[in-house]
Amino acid sequence: MAASMLPKHTCNIISFLILFLFALAIADHKSDYSHAFSKYISPSSLGLKREKLSHLHFYLHDITSGKNATAFRVAEAPSTNHSSSLFGATVMMDDPLTIKPDVNSKIVGRAQGIYAFASQSDFSLLMVLNFVFTEGKYNGSTLSVLGRNHIISKIREMPIVGGSCVFRFSRGYAQARTYDNSALHTIVEYNVYVFHY
């Protein structure tokens, strides 16, 4: 009787092994698809070398009126003009970045993007912008800012979330300090600290 059970037991083992090998083949086949979509690569394969920390210092000029205006309100909420914090006002900007506080000093880039009054209770902006550099070794490179700017604070800090060209894989922060403020022209001093390759 034991001899007649052996072939059935052996048959079950063989069936299990066949199913197991089939499942492995399918799993291996599916893993080939995932490698076609993404794979791990060495940073050196992209020419990335040692990471460094850079400090950039410049002045942003936000000019909201006149023939040389660089910032324009493009949207607002129905209640914006009745809001004590201008909640809902959205401004598109293409502001010059200069090496000194004087708007006529050397331009090193532009701040291009949007800021929106995002708080119903105080003057806080949502900043979504790129610092586009046009001078020196950073010419053609950008840094991207996405964060909160509580404009009545003496110094505000916003994250650098990325960049391009020289600033690929960058991360860091930007500190903003209002240097001068009038109804038509605001000058903001920026100190930017960024890790990049």
Side-chain angles (χ1 to χ4, degrees), residues 41-74:
I41 61 173
S42 166
S44 62
S45 70
L46 294 176
L48 301 177
K49 297 178 182 164
R50 187 176 58 86
E51 191 175 42
K52 53 191 162 268
L53 175 64
S54 293
H55 171 224
L56 293 87
H57 178 256
F58 49 83
Y59 294 85
L60 177 148
H61 298 269
D62 193 56
I63 305 166
T64 57
S65 187
K67 69 176 185 160
N68 296 321
T70 62
F72 297 92
R73 188 185 292 194
V74 294

Side-chain angles (χ1 to χ4, degrees), residues 113-197:
I114 296 172
Y115 60 88
F117 290 81
S119 173
Q120 294 186 50
S121 58
D122 62 22
F123 287 105
S124 292
L125 304 176
L126 167 63
M127 305 290 287
V128 182
L129 65 96
N130 290 311
F131 293 131
V132 181
F133 298 102
T134 58
E135 191 62 37
K137 65 182 176 181
Y138 302 127
N139 184 21
S141 298
T142 65
L143 287 173
S144 298
V145 177
L146 173 62
R148 180 178 185 260
N149 183 353
H150 187 239
I151 57 177
I152 60 173
S153 295
K154 184 175 180 179
I155 296 178
R156 290 89 67 192
E157 187 172 297
M158 292 160 279
I160 301 293
V161 296
S164 66
C165 295
V166 171
F167 296 119
R168 287 182 189 145
F169 297 105
S170 64
R171 66 194 189 287
Y173 65 96
Q175 287 184 330
R177 181 182 70 86
T178 302
Y179 182 85
D180 190 33
N181 187 22
S182 71
L184 306 178
H185 185 176
T186 300
I187 303 170
V188 181
E189 180 182 17
Y190 273 89
N191 280 288
V192 177
Y193 301 91
V194 61
F195 281 106
H196 61 100
Y197 289 93

Side-chain angles (χ1 to χ4, degrees), residues 91-121:
V91 177
M92 182 71 69
M93 66 178 181
D94 184 13
D95 293 342
L97 306 175
T98 62
I99 201 158
K100 294 182 179 178
D102 181 358
V103 71
N104 296 312
S105 66
K106 184 175 186 176
I107 293 177
V108 295
R110 313 280 308 177
Q112 298 174 333
I114 296 172
Y115 60 88
F117 290 81
S119 173
Q120 294 186 50
S121 58

Side-chain angles (χ1 to χ4, degrees), residues 1-10:
M1 186 155 191
S4 65
M5 299 258 319
L6 184 60
K8 185 175 180 184
H9 179 61
T10 303

